[in-house]
Amino acid sequence: MNGPWLDALILYLIGLFLVPNFRAGGVPRRLAEVIYQPFIRLGLWYRWSMYAPEVPEATRLGLTGIVKDDGSFEIVPLPGCDEGAGFGKARGLRFIAWQWALCDPMTDFLKPALCDYALRLWRRRSPAAGRGPGRPVAVEVRVYRYPSPAPGQRDEPAEPEVRTVFSRAVEE
Amino acid sequence: MPGWWHELFHAPVDPSSLALFRVLLGGLIVANATLYARDARALLDPDGMFSFGAWKNGPDRHLFSVLRWLPASRRSVTAVIAVYGAAGACLAVGWGTRWAAAAALLAGVSLNHRNRYVLHSGDALLRVMTLLMIFSDAGAVWSIDAAASRPAAAAGSPWALRLMQLQLALLYLQTALYKLKGRTWRQGTASHYATRLRAHRRRRLPDWLDGVVAHRAATHGALAAELAGGTLVWFDRTRLLAIGGLVALHLSLQLLMRLHLFQWTMLASLVLFFPGETTARLVELLWS
């Protein structure tokens, strides 16, 4: 490919890199999304942000099974996760944006999917545990938030604030 | 098109930096495939975090992945990981370079889209660079392709290399501008909080580096390095300074935080800004 066709391809690719990085909306944005549809499907339409404007707080997710007698147990760590770090360290210590994914309404399917996965794992580990008083009646996705000390202050061990972001009853 | 356009995108350049980046990119893809293989059961398998059924009908259903058309089995996942790793190895040695890049792109995208909730910006950069690698002359030197084609091909148009450089500069500039919107980055406390993220912390900072002044220097230094990565890196007189700042930034982050292959991906990409002649001389020095 040479001459004007090559220049047109270069301009097209420059647009692919630039457009997602602008906050333009409306018709121009929708038009660009049509023009670049094949690249969007390939995951090449990308807005660069190597770190959020505000550093996220130290959080982790936990999956907790609630059992019949009002007790509970943690279904962590999952495979590939270190104790205490939950999902945050899965995939070879790869960064996992669970805490963001769970805040995004587009990813609502994640929460029940995680609960199903946790239950599958739990049953795989202890096949006999699906019956009796220890049987889970619900699974909760919880966020553990660890407060950071102010700059200049010493780190002290602190209890996390725990918030349940999703709860699902276990079907019989 | 104006003269500067022709000079930037079409005037031939020494392809050595591009070839070195090809080797590094291939190595990164092999490493990424190895890590994928290790965690495939939890993250990619039909029995993993997302069943194939939920995934195929979920919000990512419009994203490309060959796994959609393959049987829902562990064997399919393993096959795609194997293709990804093999394509990375071919890219590193420059054997069928363009085809290897195309295979690496399709396999990598397929794995990424099977579970995109475990990705980071380094994955996106790998995808973009692999796409541009298909169009580049990265196999022109230090490759099996070059050894097999005699006489050696003349240096071609460097437009793909220029687009890689543009993308990298845009990445740093956009990131720095985005961070500047945040209070902690402007105040100079962002690194204090970042080094306390439990999921990513590799080691604690020594006390003498954990004070307010040191964190202010680190936070504003990171911003300055990223701004330089988008601007000063284009000028001969300031390029070395900009690259030096970015190397220091990524190495210190690698030392302190666990962020998968992100820092290595960024460090490898910085090679693209070296003049080809300099890279050729450095590699010759190292080999001799």
Side-chain angles (χ1 to χ4, degrees), chain A residues 46-86:
Chain A
Y46 198 80
R47 182 166 193 265
W48 297 110
S49 56
M50 291 196 293
Y51 227 93
E54 295 295 346
V55 179
E57 290 169 297
T59 55
R60 77 171 177 88
L61 289 190
L63 284 168
T64 302
I66 309 296
V67 294
K68 244 180 174 175
D69 56 0
D70 285 344
S72 69
F73 61 94
E74 286 269 296
I75 313 181
V76 288
L78 296 171
C81 304
D82 285 358
E83 185 78 55

Short mmCIF file of all heavy atoms in Angstrom, two decimals, chain A residues 46-86:
data_model
loop_
_atom_site.label_atom_id
_atom_site.label_comp_id
_atom_site.label_asym_id
_atom_site.label_seq_id
_atom_site.Cartn_x
_atom_site.Cartn_y
_atom_site.Cartn_z
N TYR A 46 -9.25 2.65 23.08
CA TYR A 46 -8.86 2.66 24.48
C TYR A 46 -8.55 4.05 24.98
O TYR A 46 -7.82 4.80 24.34
CB TYR A 46 -7.62 1.77 24.66
CG TYR A 46 -7.39 1.37 26.10
CD1 TYR A 46 -8.12 0.35 26.68
CD2 TYR A 46 -6.46 2.04 26.87
CE1 TYR A 46 -7.93 -0.01 28.00
CE2 TYR A 46 -6.26 1.70 28.19
CZ TYR A 46 -7.00 0.67 28.75
OH TYR A 46 -6.81 0.32 30.06
N ARG A 47 -9.11 4.37 26.12
CA ARG A 47 -8.82 5.66 26.76
C ARG A 47 -7.75 5.42 27.82
O ARG A 47 -7.97 4.66 28.75
CB ARG A 47 -10.08 6.24 27.39
CG ARG A 47 -9.85 7.58 28.02
CD ARG A 47 -11.17 8.27 28.32
NE ARG A 47 -10.92 9.66 28.63
CZ ARG A 47 -10.78 10.12 29.87
NH1 ARG A 47 -10.87 9.30 30.87
NH2 ARG A 47 -10.54 11.39 30.07
N TRP A 48 -6.61 6.07 27.65
CA TRP A 48 -5.50 5.82 28.56
C TRP A 48 -5.72 6.49 29.90
O TRP A 48 -6.04 7.68 29.96
CB TRP A 48 -4.18 6.34 27.96
CG TRP A 48 -3.83 5.62 26.72
CD1 TRP A 48 -3.84 6.14 25.45
CD2 TRP A 48 -3.43 4.26 26.58
NE1 TRP A 48 -3.48 5.18 24.55
CE2 TRP A 48 -3.22 4.01 25.21
CE3 TRP A 48 -3.24 3.21 27.47
CZ2 TRP A 48 -2.82 2.77 24.73
CZ3 TRP A 48 -2.85 1.98 26.99
CH2 TRP A 48 -2.65 1.78 25.64
N SER A 49 -5.54 5.75 30.95
CA SER A 49 -5.59 6.30 32.30
C SER A 49 -4.88 5.29 33.18
O SER A 49 -5.49 4.40 33.72
CB SER A 49 -7.03 6.50 32.77
OG SER A 49 -7.72 5.29 32.68
N MET A 50 -3.56 5.43 33.28
CA MET A 50 -2.80 4.41 33.99
C MET A 50 -3.06 4.43 35.49
O MET A 50 -2.69 3.53 36.20
CB MET A 50 -1.32 4.55 33.71
CG MET A 50 -0.98 4.20 32.27
SD MET A 50 0.75 3.94 32.05
CE MET A 50 1.39 5.57 32.31
N TYR A 51 -3.68 5.46 35.95
CA TYR A 51 -4.07 5.50 37.35
C TYR A 51 -5.20 6.50 37.49
O TYR A 51 -5.25 7.48 36.78
CB TYR A 51 -2.88 5.92 38.21
CG TYR A 51 -2.72 5.02 39.41
CD1 TYR A 51 -1.90 3.92 39.36
CD2 TYR A 51 -3.42 5.29 40.57
CE1 TYR A 51 -1.76 3.08 40.44
CE2 TYR A 51 -3.29 4.46 41.66
CZ TYR A 51 -2.45 3.36 41.59
OH TYR A 51 -2.33 2.54 42.66
N ALA A 52 -6.09 6.23 38.39
CA ALA A 52 -7.22 7.13 38.55
C ALA A 52 -6.75 8.47 39.11
O ALA A 52 -5.71 8.54 39.75
CB ALA A 52 -8.22 6.50 39.51
N PRO A 53 -7.54 9.53 38.88
CA PRO A 53 -7.15 10.83 39.45
C PRO A 53 -7.01 10.76 40.96
O PRO A 53 -6.14 11.37 41.54
CB PRO A 53 -8.30 11.76 39.06
CG PRO A 53 -8.97 11.10 37.93
CD PRO A 53 -8.76 9.64 38.08
N GLU A 54 -7.88 10.00 41.59
CA GLU A 54 -7.75 9.79 43.02
C GLU A 54 -7.28 8.35 43.23
O GLU A 54 -7.87 7.42 42.70
CB GLU A 54 -9.09 9.99 43.74
CG GLU A 54 -9.63 11.41 43.67
CD GLU A 54 -8.75 12.42 44.39
OE1 GLU A 54 -7.88 12.01 45.16
OE2 GLU A 54 -8.95 13.62 44.16
N VAL A 55 -6.23 8.19 44.01
CA VAL A 55 -5.74 6.84 44.27
C VAL A 55 -6.81 6.07 45.02
O VAL A 55 -7.33 6.56 46.02
CB VAL A 55 -4.46 6.89 45.12
CG1 VAL A 55 -3.96 5.48 45.42
CG2 VAL A 55 -3.40 7.68 44.40
N PRO A 56 -7.20 4.88 44.54
CA PRO A 56 -8.23 4.15 45.26
C PRO A 56 -7.73 3.73 46.63
O PRO A 56 -6.54 3.54 46.84
CB PRO A 56 -8.47 2.92 44.37
CG PRO A 56 -7.26 2.80 43.53
CD PRO A 56 -6.70 4.18 43.36
N GLU A 57 -8.68 3.61 47.53
CA GLU A 57 -8.29 3.19 48.88
C GLU A 57 -7.96 1.71 48.89
O GLU A 57 -8.32 0.99 47.96
CB GLU A 57 -9.46 3.45 49.84
CG GLU A 57 -9.70 4.92 50.08
CD GLU A 57 -11.00 5.11 50.79
OE1 GLU A 57 -12.04 4.76 50.24
OE2 GLU A 57 -10.96 5.61 51.92
N ALA A 58 -7.26 1.29 49.93
CA ALA A 58 -6.92 -0.12 50.04
C ALA A 58 -8.18 -0.91 50.35
O ALA A 58 -8.73 -0.81 51.44
CB ALA A 58 -5.88 -0.31 51.14
N THR A 59 -8.67 -1.61 49.36
CA THR A 59 -9.88 -2.40 49.56
C THR A 59 -9.62 -3.82 49.08
O THR A 59 -8.71 -4.07 48.31
CB THR A 59 -11.07 -1.85 48.75
OG1 THR A 59 -10.67 -1.77 47.39
CG2 THR A 59 -11.51 -0.50 49.24
N ARG A 60 -10.42 -4.73 49.53
CA ARG A 60 -10.42 -6.06 48.94
C ARG A 60 -11.83 -6.58 48.98
O ARG A 60 -12.67 -6.09 49.74
CB ARG A 60 -9.47 -7.01 49.66
CG ARG A 60 -9.97 -7.56 50.96
CD ARG A 60 -9.04 -8.64 51.48
NE ARG A 60 -9.47 -9.14 52.78
CZ ARG A 60 -10.33 -10.14 52.94
NH1 ARG A 60 -10.88 -10.73 51.90
NH2 ARG A 60 -10.66 -10.55 54.16
N LEU A 61 -12.09 -7.54 48.14
CA LEU A 61 -13.40 -8.16 48.13
C LEU A 61 -13.34 -9.48 48.85
O LEU A 61 -12.33 -10.18 48.81
CB LEU A 61 -13.86 -8.42 46.71
CG LEU A 61 -14.24 -7.22 45.87
CD1 LEU A 61 -14.89 -7.68 44.60
CD2 LEU A 61 -15.18 -6.31 46.61
N GLY A 62 -14.40 -9.83 49.49
CA GLY A 62 -14.49 -11.13 50.10
C GLY A 62 -15.83 -11.76 49.76
O GLY A 62 -16.81 -11.05 49.55
N LEU A 63 -15.83 -13.07 49.63
CA LEU A 63 -17.09 -13.78 49.44
C LEU A 63 -17.37 -14.52 50.73
O LEU A 63 -16.53 -15.26 51.23
CB LEU A 63 -16.97 -14.77 48.29
CG LEU A 63 -17.00 -14.14 46.90
CD1 LEU A 63 -16.58 -15.14 45.86
CD2 LEU A 63 -18.38 -13.61 46.59
N THR A 64 -18.53 -14.28 51.29
CA THR A 64 -18.86 -14.86 52.58
C THR A 64 -20.12 -15.70 52.46
O THR A 64 -21.13 -15.24 51.91
CB THR A 64 -19.10 -13.73 53.61
OG1 THR A 64 -17.91 -12.95 53.68
CG2 THR A 64 -19.40 -14.30 54.98
N GLY A 65 -20.03 -16.92 52.95
CA GLY A 65 -21.21 -17.79 52.96
C GLY A 65 -21.92 -17.64 54.29
O GLY A 65 -21.30 -17.68 55.35
N ILE A 66 -23.23 -17.44 54.24
CA ILE A 66 -24.03 -17.36 55.48
C ILE A 66 -24.67 -18.73 55.69
O ILE A 66 -25.35 -19.23 54.79
CB ILE A 66 -25.14 -16.28 55.35
CG1 ILE A 66 -24.54 -14.97 54.87
CG2 ILE A 66 -25.88 -16.12 56.68
CD1 ILE A 66 -23.56 -14.34 55.81
N VAL A 67 -24.45 -19.32 56.84
CA VAL A 67 -24.99 -20.65 57.07
C VAL A 67 -26.27 -20.59 57.90
O VAL A 67 -26.61 -19.55 58.46
CB VAL A 67 -23.94 -21.59 57.74
CG1 VAL A 67 -22.78 -21.84 56.81
CG2 VAL A 67 -23.48 -21.02 59.06
N LYS A 68 -26.95 -21.74 57.97
CA LYS A 68 -28.30 -21.79 58.50
C LYS A 68 -28.43 -21.26 59.93
O LYS A 68 -29.40 -20.62 60.27
CB LYS A 68 -28.79 -23.24 58.46
CG LYS A 68 -29.98 -23.44 57.54
CD LYS A 68 -30.40 -24.90 57.56
CE LYS A 68 -31.67 -25.09 56.76
NZ LYS A 68 -32.03 -26.51 56.67
N ASP A 69 -27.43 -21.54 60.76
CA ASP A 69 -27.55 -21.16 62.17
C ASP A 69 -27.06 -19.72 62.41
O ASP A 69 -26.57 -19.39 63.47
CB ASP A 69 -26.74 -22.12 63.04
CG ASP A 69 -25.29 -22.19 62.60
OD1 ASP A 69 -24.95 -21.47 61.63
OD2 ASP A 69 -24.50 -22.93 63.19
N ASP A 70 -27.19 -18.88 61.39
CA ASP A 70 -26.80 -17.47 61.47
C ASP A 70 -25.29 -17.27 61.56
O ASP A 70 -24.83 -16.16 61.80
CB ASP A 70 -27.47 -16.75 62.65
CG ASP A 70 -28.93 -16.46 62.33
OD1 ASP A 70 -29.28 -16.54 61.14
OD2 ASP A 70 -29.69 -16.18 63.27
N GLY A 71 -24.53 -18.32 61.39
CA GLY A 71 -23.08 -18.15 61.35
C GLY A 71 -22.64 -17.75 59.95
O GLY A 71 -23.45 -17.59 59.04
N SER A 72 -21.37 -17.57 59.78
CA SER A 72 -20.86 -17.25 58.45
C SER A 72 -19.46 -17.81 58.30
O SER A 72 -18.80 -18.14 59.28
CB SER A 72 -20.86 -15.75 58.21
OG SER A 72 -19.89 -15.14 59.02
N PHE A 73 -19.02 -17.96 57.08
CA PHE A 73 -17.65 -18.39 56.82
C PHE A 73 -17.17 -17.70 55.55
O PHE A 73 -17.96 -17.34 54.68
CB PHE A 73 -17.58 -19.91 56.66
CG PHE A 73 -18.40 -20.44 55.52
CD1 PHE A 73 -17.81 -20.64 54.27
CD2 PHE A 73 -19.75 -20.72 55.68
CE1 PHE A 73 -18.58 -21.11 53.22
CE2 PHE A 73 -20.51 -21.19 54.62
CZ PHE A 73 -19.93 -21.39 53.40
N GLU A 74 -15.88 -17.51 55.46
CA GLU A 74 -15.30 -16.81 54.31
C GLU A 74 -14.99 -17.83 53.22
O GLU A 74 -14.38 -18.87 53.50
CB GLU A 74 -14.01 -16.12 54.71
CG GLU A 74 -14.21 -14.88 55.54
CD GLU A 74 -14.32 -13.63 54.68
OE1 GLU A 74 -13.33 -13.29 54.01
OE2 GLU A 74 -15.39 -13.01 54.68
N ILE A 75 -15.39 -17.54 52.00
CA ILE A 75 -15.03 -18.43 50.90
C ILE A 75 -13.84 -17.81 50.17
O ILE A 75 -13.85 -17.56 48.98
CB ILE A 75 -16.21 -18.64 49.94
CG1 ILE A 75 -17.48 -18.95 50.74
CG2 ILE A 75 -15.92 -19.81 49.00
CD1 ILE A 75 -18.69 -19.21 49.89
N VAL A 76 -12.87 -17.43 50.92
CA VAL A 76 -11.62 -16.94 50.35
C VAL A 76 -10.51 -17.65 51.11
O VAL A 76 -10.72 -18.07 52.24
CB VAL A 76 -11.46 -15.41 50.49
CG1 VAL A 76 -12.38 -14.67 49.58
CG2 VAL A 76 -11.64 -14.97 51.92
N PRO A 77 -9.32 -17.78 50.61
CA PRO A 77 -8.92 -17.27 49.30
C PRO A 77 -9.35 -18.19 48.16
O PRO A 77 -9.49 -19.39 48.35
CB PRO A 77 -7.40 -17.26 49.41
CG PRO A 77 -7.09 -18.38 50.35
CD PRO A 77 -8.23 -18.43 51.32
N LEU A 78 -9.52 -17.62 47.01
CA LEU A 78 -9.81 -18.40 45.82
C LEU A 78 -8.49 -18.87 45.22
O LEU A 78 -7.43 -18.38 45.61
CB LEU A 78 -10.57 -17.53 44.82
CG LEU A 78 -11.93 -17.07 45.32
CD1 LEU A 78 -12.51 -16.05 44.37
CD2 LEU A 78 -12.87 -18.24 45.46
N PRO A 79 -8.53 -19.79 44.29
CA PRO A 79 -7.27 -20.25 43.70
C PRO A 79 -6.49 -19.08 43.10
O PRO A 79 -7.06 -18.20 42.47
CB PRO A 79 -7.73 -21.18 42.57
CG PRO A 79 -9.11 -21.56 42.93
CD PRO A 79 -9.69 -20.43 43.69
N GLY A 80 -5.22 -19.05 43.36
CA GLY A 80 -4.40 -17.97 42.82
C GLY A 80 -4.42 -16.74 43.68
O GLY A 80 -3.81 -15.73 43.37
N CYS A 81 -5.16 -16.79 44.78
CA CYS A 81 -5.22 -15.62 45.67
C CYS A 81 -4.45 -15.92 46.94
O CYS A 81 -4.47 -17.04 47.45
CB CYS A 81 -6.66 -15.32 46.05
SG CYS A 81 -7.73 -15.08 44.65
N ASP A 82 -3.79 -14.93 47.44
CA ASP A 82 -3.09 -15.10 48.71
C ASP A 82 -4.05 -14.82 49.86
O ASP A 82 -4.96 -14.01 49.73
CB ASP A 82 -1.92 -14.11 48.82
CG ASP A 82 -0.78 -14.56 47.95
OD1 ASP A 82 -0.91 -15.63 47.33
OD2 ASP A 82 0.22 -13.86 47.89
N GLU A 83 -3.79 -15.46 50.94
CA GLU A 83 -4.61 -15.21 52.13
C GLU A 83 -4.58 -13.73 52.47
O GLU A 83 -3.54 -13.09 52.46
CB GLU A 83 -4.03 -16.00 53.31
CG GLU A 83 -4.82 -15.94 54.58
CD GLU A 83 -6.04 -16.85 54.53
OE1 GLU A 83 -5.86 -18.05 54.27
OE2 GLU A 83 -7.13 -16.34 54.76
N GLY A 84 -5.74 -13.19 52.69
CA GLY A 84 -5.79 -11.79 53.12
C GLY A 84 -5.90 -10.80 51.98
O GLY A 84 -6.30 -9.68 52.18
N ALA A 85 -5.54 -11.23 50.80
CA ALA A 85 -5.60 -10.28 49.69
C ALA A 85 -6.81 -10.53 48.81
O ALA A 85 -7.13 -9.72 47.95
CB ALA A 85 -4.35 -10.38 48.85
N GLY A 86 -7.51 -11.63 49.03
CA GLY A 86 -8.71 -11.91 48.26
C GLY A 86 -8.44 -11.93 46.78
O GLY A 86 -7.43 -12.46 46.32
#
